[in-house]
Amino acid sequence: MIDKEIGAADDPFDVEGDGPAVAGFPRRFARSRRFSLGAPRDFTVSPDGRRVLFTRTGGGLVPLGRLWLHEDGRERLLADPSALADGTGVPDAERARRERAREQSAGIVSYATDREGRLAVFALGGALWAARTDGTAPFRLPTAGPAVDPRPSPDGRHVAYVSGGALHVASIAGEELLRLVPEEAEVTYGLAEFTAMESMGRSRGYWWAPDGRALLVARVDPTPVPLWYLADPADPAKAPRPVRYPAAGTTNAEVTLSVVTLDGRRTEVTWDRTAFEYLATADWDAHGPLIGVQSRDQRQLRVLAVDPETGATGTAGERHDPAWVELVPGTPARTRSGALVEPLESRHTRRLGIDGRPVTPEGLHLDAVLGTDGERVLFTAWQDPTECHVWSYEPGPGSGLTRLSREPGRHTAVMGGATVVLDSRTPDGHTVTVLRDGEPAGSIASFVADPLLAPRPEFLRLGERELPGMLFLPSWHKAGTGKLPVLLCPYGGPGVRLVVRERAWWTCVARWFAEQGFAVLIVDGRGTPGRGPAWEKAVHGDQLTPVLEDQVDALRAVCARYPDLDPGRVGIRGWSFGGTVAAAAVLRRPEVFHAAVSGAAPTDQRWYDTHWKERFLGHPDEEPENYARSSTIGDAAGLRRPLLLVHGMADDNVAVAHTLRMSAALLAAGRPHAVLPLVGSTHMAAEDTAESLLLFELDFLKKALGR
């Protein structure tokens, strides 16, 4: 049995750029949650390579996630939440985890397995469930309260979970073996803190020992972090919600680690927390616990091997950088022999290193380490800045460096034994291929909804810096028949690359705007990943000037190359950091940009979180000029172009205060502008808002640019 796409027949539009497809796109975009539903994801491969577990919703327009197994070339449903009883509701800690992960589906959205991939556990509305891969029915496990982040022991005999901030361990039969109860109301055991989830890429707060007899557990005390209060203006009867938000320059949560055995013995892990206050990474492999700790200024990262008996730590590696040490996903790691796997940087290339020796060439930019198996290392890397491929490195004769993905696009993978599950996003869509010994041995179906409009951009290198760009022109436009207004759609910030040869949601949106009569340009400039450390760190100390300069240079280059583009009618739209870029465009370069839509934008960088913002701009008390250069609120008095500010009223990442204070500054300066509040939306527009928001933006830009 496999899923089938449900709901496609509800939208009877053609699949090319004719009128019905253009008209139907906003609804399809919203209902598919940005074309994320129906995609298989969260793959786990058993060590023998025979079993692949994954989640997938019931179709491209259905948000309910299910747990699946691929074995012997066939897919089998392991758990369907519609047939299982929910608990009392999604706990607040799970809601926070989902928001940090930008989760857009419901049902089974995450799970964890034992070492052999024969037992999977997951939470459903706070209830704890387990499913075996032997074909037996899922079964519910008793808990002390609503469960968050359940994980079985490697041997499958026990399961750990967090409830009410306490870490619990019970046998599969239901007998509670361990309970770590917070000493104070806001303290938690086994959960990651806000900055770890939002800015470091660490979503976990505990890790099992390989023998299942102990755990490495994080204790988080958030009480030093300042309190913010997020209200719901649409419901004045509801009290404001207190949130601990570590704004730049303020105090972080206190994070410590302990090794806890199942019989209750607890040993604190010791390191210089004054010099290294961030717990950036943690894991427990066959060689013991391995953690990465980072200094507050993020210029030092120390890798520590932990003695689980005493809690003492020894330095296994250390990295320094005058700007910041980049946290590369999946690192540090160790091979079976204990060799340390970590990034090694030169000025222009971040390379894969093993025990301090680079094993990849200059020009191949390390993106992430996906895992190790024996001495083999699986990783992703950029060579062409528009393609991210999966690579394998293994020492020894006849081994070396091998590229596993072939088609242009963005690829990632998971491995187990001789099996690699290759997850590919290409210009044709989403495919998942099961490779054994490097050869295709099957596939896992993807039911992502058809976007109705195939993107078909032209890829460009623009200006002296050869800025990667994508240009979308209306399918109906004939060269020489008229001038087209130009619409830029940047993100432009760290960690996000848009100009990639894949059918992504933003390329589909760009095509839709193009069919409305715009020439749409997307450019990745300095500060974006995939072109080496010097390119990424060119924004150190100033996150706006070089970014905006690159957008202007790319615009001028593309207008010079395409005479049908009208440089006298240029709009720009962006979200989050892209929203900051959009606002800066009309505030600082009104001679170039004539209208902007700025969504969920940080307007004063001091109000963004410590780890993310201090990485690029330093401490605001020590380098306030960096924050002034990178913020837009001080430019409010200079506005003379149409500006639409959009913000989710429930956003706890970029608080709505950013937009409200910007609006107040504009009003005080007598500068007309528009504000669109999204009631109930967080940092992403909710499904019931996304369709209308696209149409609202379109109407605003057409009026502003005289289209």
Side-chain angles (χ1 to χ4, degrees):
M1 175 184 178
I2 63 173
D3 285 0
K4 63 179 180 178
E5 183 173 354
I6 300 172
D10 298 338
D11 293 283
F13 301 111
D14 296 336
V15 296
E16 288 300 325
D18 58 14
V22 173
F25 176 83
R27 176 167 295 182
R28 178 65 61 88
F29 173 74
R31 291 190 58 196
S32 66
R33 314 281 175 91
R34 297 184 178 186
F35 306 108
S36 65
L37 303 180
R41 62 178 202 176
D42 303 323
F43 300 100
T44 301
V45 184
S46 62
D48 61 9
R50 294 184 57 187
R51 292 171 299 285
V52 180
L53 290 87
F54 62 96
T55 61
R56 183 177 58 207
T57 69
L61 304 176
V62 179
L64 196 66
R66 301 168 176 172
L67 181 62
W68 287 84
L69 172 69
H70 181 277
E71 188 175 25
D72 297 327
R74 295 181 298 175
E75 296 179 16
R76 177 161 53 88
L77 183 63
L78 290 182
D80 182 350
S82 63
L84 306 176
D86 276 2
T88 56
V90 178
D92 288 343
E94 174 63 10
R95 291 185 191 277
R97 189 199 68 79
R98 294 185 186 188
E99 176 60 25
R100 303 282 73 78
R102 310 294 186 259
E103 178 62 60
Q104 299 193 71
S105 61
I108 302 173
V109 300
S110 64
Y111 69 97
T113 71
D114 63 352
R115 179 172 43 239
E116 299 301 321
R118 297 188 180 277
L119 173 74
V121 299
F122 56 90
L124 190 62
L128 177 56
W129 286 87
R132 299 191 185 276
T133 58
D134 59 5
T136 56
F139 55 98
R140 186 169 176 174
L141 300 173
T143 62
V148 176
D149 195 23
R151 297 180 180 272
S153 59
D155 58 14
R157 297 174 56 197
H158 308 114
V159 62
Y161 63 93
V162 179
S163 183
L167 180 71
H168 301 258
V169 179
S171 70
I172 291 298
E175 176 189 2
E176 184 162 276
L177 305 174
L178 176 69
R179 179 184 296 187
L180 287 180
V181 179
E183 307 86 352
E184 301 175 28
E186 295 187 58
V187 171
T188 62
Y189 283 101
L191 295 176
E193 72 277 19
F194 177 95
T195 52
M197 292 188 287
E198 187 66 52
S199 301
M200 298 184 208
R202 176 173 63 80
S203 61
R204 298 177 57 178
Y206 71 92
W207 300 263
W208 277 101
D211 63 7
R213 297 179 181 177
L215 304 99
L216 180 67
V217 182
R219 177 187 183 273
V220 175
D221 180 0
T223 55
V225 180
L227 269 173
W228 285 12
Y229 296 89
L230 303 183
D232 181 1
D235 187 356
K238 184 184 294 184
R241 177 168 61 96
V243 173
R244 297 282 182 184
Y245 192 91
T250 64
T251 310
N252 283 308
E254 293 181 359
V255 182
T256 56
L257 283 174
S258 295
V259 175
V260 183
T261 60
L262 295 190
D263 61 8
R265 183 167 61 90
R266 182 172 164 184
T267 304
E268 185 172 353
V269 177
T270 58
W271 76 89
D272 186 351
R273 288 177 43 236
T274 301
F276 297 91
E277 71 176 74
Y278 289 123
L279 175 65
T281 67
D283 198 9
W284 195 332
D285 61 16
H287 305 283
L290 186 71
I291 65 174
V293 295
Q294 196 175 34
S295 59
R296 175 70 183 250
D297 65 11
Q298 301 181 55
R299 293 172 180 171
Q300 289 181 278
L301 176 72
R302 184 169 291 174
V303 180
L304 301 175
V306 180
D307 183 338
E309 295 298 322
T310 66
T313 56
T315 301
E318 192 157 359
R319 296 166 56 205
H320 303 261
D321 192 275
W324 72 81
V325 174
E326 186 72 14
L327 298 179
V328 175
T331 66
R334 287 182 288 206
T335 67
R336 182 179 296 164
S337 68
L340 185 66
V341 179
E342 60 180 343
L344 296 177
E345 289 189 4
S346 64
R347 175 170 169 75
H348 294 292
T349 306
R350 181 174 296 114
R351 302 164 73 180
L352 177 68
I354 298 181
D355 269 348
R357 180 176 65 89
V359 297
T360 54
E362 289 282 344
L364 183 63
H365 306 289
L366 179 65
D367 175 65
V369 170
L370 305 176
T372 63
D373 185 18
E375 299 307 303
R376 184 187 187 195
V377 180
L378 196 70
F379 64 98
T380 50
W382 306 82
Q383 198 165 32
D384 178 329
T386 65
E387 300 181 21
C388 188
H389 285 281
V390 175
W391 296 76
S392 173
Y393 173 79
E394 190 168 11
S399 298
L401 193 63
T402 305
R403 196 176 99 178
L404 302 183
S405 51
R406 292 285 171 249
E407 296 297 317
R410 191 193 307 255
H411 306 265
T412 188
V414 178
M415 71 174 171
T419 297
V420 172
V421 176
L422 185 62
D423 188 347
S424 302
R425 310 278 174 152
T426 70
D428 295 326
H430 182 215
T431 59
V432 178
T433 307
V434 179
L435 304 174
R436 288 200 176 91
D437 295 315
E439 298 297 326
S443 62
I444 294 174
S446 176
F447 298 111
V448 174
D450 193 297
L452 306 178
L453 296 169
R456 296 198 300 257
E458 181 174 355
F459 286 84
L460 306 168
R461 294 293 183 91
L462 299 166
E464 293 182 358
R465 285 183 290 279
E466 295 189 333
L467 301 164
M470 291 187 292
L471 180 65
F472 301 77
L473 297 174
S475 61
W476 44 261
H477 179 72
K478 305 298 181 183
T481 60
K483 291 282 192 177
L484 295 170
V486 186
L487 177 62
L488 278 70
C489 298
Y491 180 77
V496 176
R497 189 159 196 84
L498 300 182
V499 183
V500 182
R501 298 180 188 274
E502 64 171 311
R503 191 179 76 188
W505 67 263
W506 56 88
T507 63
C508 297
V509 170
R511 167 73 194 282
W512 179 75
F513 271 104
E515 293 304 318
Q516 307 289 344
F518 294 92
V520 181
L521 179 64
I522 300 178
V523 174
D524 285 334
R526 285 168 289 177
T528 59
R531 288 189 67 173
W535 183 265
E536 295 173 12
K537 295 174 184 179
V539 298
H540 186 239
D542 186 348
Q543 281 195 282
L544 272 185
T545 305
V547 173
L548 194 55
E549 185 178 63
D550 286 348
Q551 297 296 317
V552 172
D553 288 354
L555 172 66
R556 287 174 172 165
V558 79
C559 286
R561 190 179 303 185
Y562 295 86
D564 283 0
L565 274 57
D566 186 354
R569 290 185 296 161
V570 178
I572 184 169
R573 60 183 293 271
W575 197 266
S576 196
F577 184 81
T580 303
V581 176
V586 291
L587 289 166
R588 299 185 179 183
R589 301 301 300 271
E591 79 283 5
V592 177
F593 298 95
H594 308 98
V597 177
S598 173
T603 60
D604 188 330
Q605 303 298 343
R606 295 173 302 172
W607 303 332
Y608 206 69
D609 80 71
T610 52
H611 190 271
W612 187 256
K613 199 47 59 179
E614 291 175 16
R615 179 185 313 175
F616 311 110
L617 302 180
H619 196 289
D621 293 344
E622 299 168 2
E623 300 178 270
E625 68 281 1
N626 292 351
Y627 286 79
R629 279 194 296 262
S630 303
S631 300
T632 56
I633 195 164
D635 301 305
L639 181 68
R640 64 174 191 263
R641 298 294 191 187
L643 172 62
L644 170 62
L645 304 175
V646 185
H647 216 118
M649 301 300 283
D651 194 338
D652 66 354
N653 176 29
V654 181
V656 71
H658 284 270
T659 287
L660 296 178
R661 292 191 184 187
M662 172 60 90
S663 178
L666 291 167
L667 189 63
R671 302 301 178 184
H673 62 285
V675 179
L676 179 63
L678 305 180
V679 175
S681 286
T682 58
H683 197 54
M684 292 190 303
E687 178 187 349
D688 57 359
T689 302
E691 176 183 0
S692 298
L693 177 58
L694 274 181
L695 296 171
F696 194 98
E697 290 185 57
L698 175 64
D699 183 66
F700 172 84
L701 290 166
K702 282 185 173 181
K703 290 177 180 177
L705 299 176
R707 170 72 181 96

